Every structure is written in C-alpha cells, then in structure tokens.
Amino acid sequence: MMKKNILTIALTVLTLQVAAQTIDVNRSGEPFKHHWSVGTCAGRANEGLRTSWVEQLRLVKEQCGFQYLRMHGMFDDDMFVYFEDKKGNPVYSWQYLDEVYDRMLDIGVRPFVELSFFPKGIAADDGKVQMWYQNRITYDPERLPKWKGLVEAFTRHVVERYGLDEVRQWYFEVWNEPNLNMTPKAGFFEGTRSDYFQLYKASAEAIKAVDSQLRVGGPATSNFIADHRHDGEILDNSKSVFYDQEHINHQQWKAVWMTEFLEFCAANELPVDFISCHAYPTDYALDPISGKGKDAVRYVHSLHDDLTYLQQCLAKSKYPQAEIHITEWSTSPSSRDRMHDLLPPAAYIMKGNLDNIGMVNSVMYWTFTDIFEEKGGGESIFHGGFGMINFQGIVKPSFHAYRMLHQLGDQRIYYSPHIGNGQDGASLFVSRHSDSGRITALAFNYPQEFEQKVPSSADAKTFMQATAKTIDCTLTGLQPGTQFTIETLDYQHGNAYNEWQAIGAPHSPTRQQTIWLREQAWQTKKEYVSANDSGELHLKMTLEPWTCILIQ
C-alpha cells in the first residue's frame, strides 16, 4: 500500500581505503562509564502529565538506559504549586509535581531537578513572562525569602514522600540559563548576574537545611561564548561578536559566568556539588536582536574543548572535586532545525560521546521527545523538533544512536576515531562486558567534510554528499563459532524522515500511515555472522556518510 516516492539525495562520495587492523578482544580493557546514559531532558514539567510523554519516557529508559530527567518549569503557574491565604501566608500544593515524579520513578528515572521558574506571587508582579504557557522570570529581591521558603518546603516534601536515601541520589540545579537576561524578547531570567548569585545562595541554603548530603549546583548557563557580552551584570548586545565559518574554530570559548560563579560561592562558603551549563556547537545560542540563530557552526571537537575548559575552571577553584554536567546538548539550540530529524545527529552523538569518555559526569541530550511546546506545537510531524522521538512516537536516528551506545560494555578494548591510515577510515569502538565477557562494538562514519562544521538545517539537502569510509579489521581471541549481529543504521534503514518523504511527506498522516512509519523507523538492517574456527571475525565494510553500526 505504501508506494515509495524516494527523496533522492545525490551520493557524490569517494570511498577511502584503509589498512587492515587486528584487535585482540582478550587484551586488558580500561573501565569506563556511560556518561551518555546518565540523563536526558524534556521541555517542561506539565508535559509529563500526558500519557504519550510517559510512554516515550518508558521507551527511552528501556532502550537507552537513561537514569535521570531534567526539565523546565516545575514551579510554573500551570503546575499550581504556590498559593497564598488571605493573610499572605504561603500555601503549597504538590499534587501535579507528585504525579509527574511518581510516573518517572515508577519507570526507573530519577529527577535531575531544575529549580524553575517563579510562580505568581514570588515573581515580580509586573515582570516579564516567557512563552505562551507563562514562565515567570522576573526576580524580585523583596520576595527572595518566599522563594527560599518554596525551595525548602519542596525539598522537605520530596524527602518525606520518597525517602532521604532516594532523594540523596537526585541533583538540584538552580534555574535555567539565567545569563539570558534583559533581552528584548525575554530570556530566562529578568535580573542581574548578582541577582542570580543571590538566588543560588538562597536555594543552596534551603536545600542543605533539609539535608547536607543533598546535591546542589549551577549556574546552568547557556551556550559557550567567545566574546564579552556576558562580562557585566546583564547581557550587553553591543559586545556580541559573530564569527564567520572561517574564524569560528580559532577562538577561545568559555562557559558563561562559570569563573565568577565559583568565586562567589567560595567567597560566601556555599556548597557546589556539581557545575552545570549547556554546550551547543553554535556561534550563538540565540541572537537576542533577531530571535534567530546565526549560520556559523563550530567544529565537531567543540564539546571536547568545552569540557577541557570546565575541567580547568574546577582545577583553579575551591571545588576541584565537583561533578561536571552538561545539562543540554544537541546539534543546535533551535527547535525548528530540520537536522534534528535527519540521519547526521546519530553519528554526531556517537562521536561526541565516545571522544569524551572520562571527561564529564553527564552530557544530556536536549530532548528525548517532540512533545515540547517552547515555540508551540510543531507545524508538521517532522518539524525539526529537538526530540529523539517525534510527537506520534516515531523514533529518529538520534534515538538509535543512544540505543546503540547503551549496548556497549564497561571495558574499553579499543577506540580509534579514525581506524586506518591517518584520517581515512571510519571510527571503531570495541568494548567488553566485565560481567559476561561479551564483546560489543560500534562503527560509524562521521564524514571528514563536516569535522570543521557540525551539520545544520543549511546542510539538509547536501549532507549525503560526503566521503564514504571503509573498515577492515579482524577481531581475534574469540571462541570459534561465536555469533554476532551486525545492525546498520543508515540512509536507507531506520531513517524515519526518509520513509515519511517516501510516502509524499503527508502533513497529517492517516492512522495507518502513522502505524507504518512507526514500524519502518525500527527497520535497521540486521545481518548475522560468526567467528571462524580460529576464533577470528573479519569485518570489512564500506560505510556511507553518517552510517552507524552496532556489532554485538
């Protein structure tokens, strides 16, 4: 019934040949942690009251192993947490939050609590609100004691409801992107840098008043910058510098407010159990003048540079043991970037995570679902939304990337970002499971044409015009006859957007079409091979651009 009218993207590729590699799977392995499975993100807390949101969270937990979930707006007006009686005394209601947290914990996902935003009665009365669902963002110093009381009451409530041992495993992050302040279109915090520091101080004291072992951190600032617009108390657009593609990767990028935040906390003897910020490979998270992102994009190694910067910040501070959490990360910070729906983010996710093992405690993908309304609902079923699953429950290549990463073991046997001579080959990561001895490997082709510029919407029609790469390797030390499954995610397999295009890209698919698209999104290619009588498995394959392969 589903007649395919395939959207053709020309494959103008050069296949690079590489020298064969031999990898002994019995060599000693280096233990490593799956920082990519620690957490993921969602839009706002109220969306967690929807059945489909819960179903998708259950799916990413089962398939990708995520342990924590971070989301905005737990104190927004649509969560109805804060009231005042006739005398102005606070009255708290936790029933909406309890419903969301109960569902999460039943699935096995813990809150990475983002303390945001101000409810009515704590925000300034005539202050700005953000988004159609009324995020209140204006700081009123006179009402800071009310905020502190809310945070402490919330913390005591979750300890009473879920138990201290459970809540000690949570994280409490103060606010979201407070440096996007005083912008014409309202950012996430209507206040100064010093105001945020006072907000952090009050929040940290409130949390630690409940239990000293609860974990608190910040400053949760937005994207890394390479200019001076955030040097002062408020965002100064006159100091913004937008680098073109030729110069963007030659700048010193830094995390906004990080040094100042650590210095403030040290001077005031405040706890910092972890630091957090966001890292997108863009020149600017959002242009406050036009409200749009710029075209220049940083290179694929930008995450490594940013994590190095954060490590250096901690080493120079009074908090060298603090954890590092990147609480938002993706190919871009736009919820209307077509690239989010396409194939390239899968290889980007694999490379960005595998290249940075041991450098960070978590890198959280923004977001797990397209049930996300920061700019309202999507204009079509594929609209460039952040999610690794679309609104209808159709999984994207980014979902498969996390699913495949989750299959890796906990001992690294071998990793070459480019297996072969120089920069010519595809990437190969070989792991062992310490509990069973099983071998699991990933291979992927992140094309060299996009190493200096992460693909974005501008590349949506040309991204397949890149170099194919070859893997030629032999795994030795296996038991004779050991069976392996080779699962391939590529342009033709497991690529939901491609299948949608193939049936004419219907704006509102029928129910039958939607079911078919869900099924096709899971149709990665699977092949089965076995080690020979000598305990060797020879793998020789050509990977088209952005192809990801799970070998287990």
Side-chain angles (χ1 to χ4, degrees), residues 16 25-26 53 76 124 150 171 216 252 269 300 338 442 537:
L16 297 172
V25 301
N26 292 314
W53 187 97
D76 278 2
L150 171 63
Y171 292 85
V216 64
Q252 173 59 64
E269 298 182 344
V300 72
R338 180 67 64 197
L442 289 176
L537 179 67

Side-chain angles (χ1 to χ4, degrees), residues 83-284:
F83 304 86
E84 292 182 356
D85 63 21
K86 293 181 179 180
K87 295 182 179 180
N89 299 312
V91 178
Y92 307 115
S93 175
W94 311 114
Q95 54 188 340
Y96 279 49
L97 266 178
D98 288 347
E99 179 73 8
V100 175
Y101 283 178
D102 285 357
R103 291 177 176 191
M104 288 170 52
L105 291 165
D106 286 346
I107 291 170
V109 177
R110 292 188 167 104
F112 195 108
V113 178
E114 177 198 300
L115 295 170
S116 66
F117 293 101
F118 297 128
K120 183 178 181 180
I122 294 181
D125 288 336
D126 298 320
K128 289 182 180 178
V129 295
Q130 184 208 47
M131 308 306 172
W132 63 269
Y133 47 80
Q134 306 283 297
N135 283 346
R136 297 183 184 274
I137 60 172
T138 304
Y139 175 79
D140 182 347
E142 297 299 320
R143 297 178 178 180
L144 184 59
K146 290 185 177 182
W147 169 264
K148 187 173 183 180
L150 171 63
V151 172
E152 182 172 343
F154 160 74
T155 307
R156 292 192 184 280
H157 170 73
V158 294
V159 167
E160 291 171 359
R161 185 174 183 85
Y162 303 112
L164 184 57
D165 290 343
E166 168 63 32
V167 180
R168 279 178 176 172
Q169 299 180 72
W170 298 10
Y171 292 85
F172 294 81
E173 182 187 36
V174 181
W175 214 256
N176 172 72
E177 298 186 346
N179 59 299
L180 298 185
N181 55 12
M182 304 298 183
T183 61
K185 295 190 177 183
F188 285 100
F189 187 66
E190 188 74 1
T192 65
R193 182 175 66 190
S194 293
D195 288 337
Y196 171 75
F197 289 170
Q198 292 302 319
L199 187 76
Y200 180 86
K201 181 175 184 292
S203 304
E205 290 174 348
I207 291 166
K208 296 293 186 176
V210 177
D211 182 73
S212 63
Q213 294 185 46
L214 297 179
R215 297 180 287 195
V216 64
T221 42
S222 71
N223 209 26
F224 281 64
I225 59 170
D227 58 31
H228 299 285
R229 63 185 179 270
H230 286 297
D231 285 359
E233 284 289 311
I234 62 172
L235 172 61
D236 186 349
N237 294 318
S238 69
K239 296 181 179 179
S240 295
V241 178
F242 298 96
Y243 297 99
D244 59 28
Q245 202 60 56
E246 180 181 355
H247 299 96
I248 193 170
N249 293 322
H250 301 286
Q251 313 304 318
Q252 173 59 64
W253 295 80
K254 58 185 179 180
V256 178
W257 292 0
M258 190 61 68
T259 299
E260 297 88 348
F261 169 74
L262 292 169
E263 290 174 349
F264 172 83
C265 292
N268 289 272
E269 298 182 344
L270 296 175
V272 179
D273 298 299
F274 64 93
I275 58 171
S276 66
C277 61
H278 304 160
Y280 295 95
T282 51
D283 66 336
Y284 202 22

Side-chain angles (χ1 to χ4, degrees), residues 178-429:
N179 59 299
L180 298 185
N181 55 12
M182 304 298 183
T183 61
K185 295 190 177 183
F188 285 100
F189 187 66
E190 188 74 1
T192 65
R193 182 175 66 190
S194 293
D195 288 337
Y196 171 75
F197 289 170
Q198 292 302 319
L199 187 76
Y200 180 86
K201 181 175 184 292
S203 304
E205 290 174 348
I207 291 166
K208 296 293 186 176
V210 177
D211 182 73
S212 63
Q213 294 185 46
L214 297 179
R215 297 180 287 195
V216 64
T221 42
S222 71
N223 209 26
F224 281 64
I225 59 170
D227 58 31
H228 299 285
R229 63 185 179 270
H230 286 297
D231 285 359
E233 284 289 311
I234 62 172
L235 172 61
D236 186 349
N237 294 318
S238 69
K239 296 181 179 179
S240 295
V241 178
F242 298 96
Y243 297 99
D244 59 28
Q245 202 60 56
E246 180 181 355
H247 299 96
I248 193 170
N249 293 322
H250 301 286
Q251 313 304 318
Q252 173 59 64
W253 295 80
K254 58 185 179 180
V256 178
W257 292 0
M258 190 61 68
T259 299
E260 297 88 348
F261 169 74
L262 292 169
E263 290 174 349
F264 172 83
C265 292
N268 289 272
E269 298 182 344
L270 296 175
V272 179
D273 298 299
F274 64 93
I275 58 171
S276 66
C277 61
H278 304 160
Y280 295 95
T282 51
D283 66 336
Y284 202 22
L286 189 68
D287 179 354
I289 303 300
S290 68
K292 299 179 180 178
K294 291 292 182 177
D295 291 334
V297 183
R298 296 171 69 191
Y299 65 170
V300 72
H301 309 292
S302 62
L303 180 60
H304 180 84
D305 293 348
D306 296 344
L307 294 177
T308 300
Y309 176 88
L310 293 176
Q311 289 180 331
Q312 292 170 347
C313 284
L314 284 181
K316 297 175 183 177
S317 76
K318 292 186 177 181
Y319 306 93
Q321 302 304 315
E323 295 182 9
I324 299 175
H325 293 274
I326 301 297
T327 50
E328 288 186 23
W329 179 71
S330 182
T331 53
S332 86
S334 169
S335 61
R336 296 298 183 271
D337 187 334
R338 180 67 64 197
M339 191 53 61
H340 292 310
D341 299 328
L342 305 181
L343 181 62
Y348 174 76
I349 288 165
M350 286 191 178
K351 182 169 179 58
N353 280 294
L354 294 176
D355 282 0
N356 294 293
I357 287 175
M359 295 190 68
V360 64
N361 294 90
S362 76
V363 176
M364 299 187 186
Y365 192 74
W366 182 262
T367 60
F368 83 86
T369 177
D370 275 354
I371 302 173
F372 179 95
E373 298 171 344
E374 198 166 89
K375 289 188 176 181
E379 299 84 352
S380 65
I381 71 167
F382 290 108
H383 55 273
F386 287 121
M388 60 183 79
I389 307 175
N390 88 334
F391 187 92
Q392 288 76 17
I394 302 168
V395 300
K396 303 180 188 180
S398 54
F399 169 86
H400 288 303
Y402 278 101
R403 178 178 60 81
M404 290 178 172
L405 281 166
H406 183 52
Q407 301 304 311
L408 290 174
D410 56 354
Q411 295 179 344
R412 177 171 52 186
I413 297 174
Y414 177 90
Y415 179 47
S416 173
H418 304 278
I419 179 173
N421 295 326
Q423 302 290 300
D424 295 345
S427 302
L428 179 66
F429 189 102

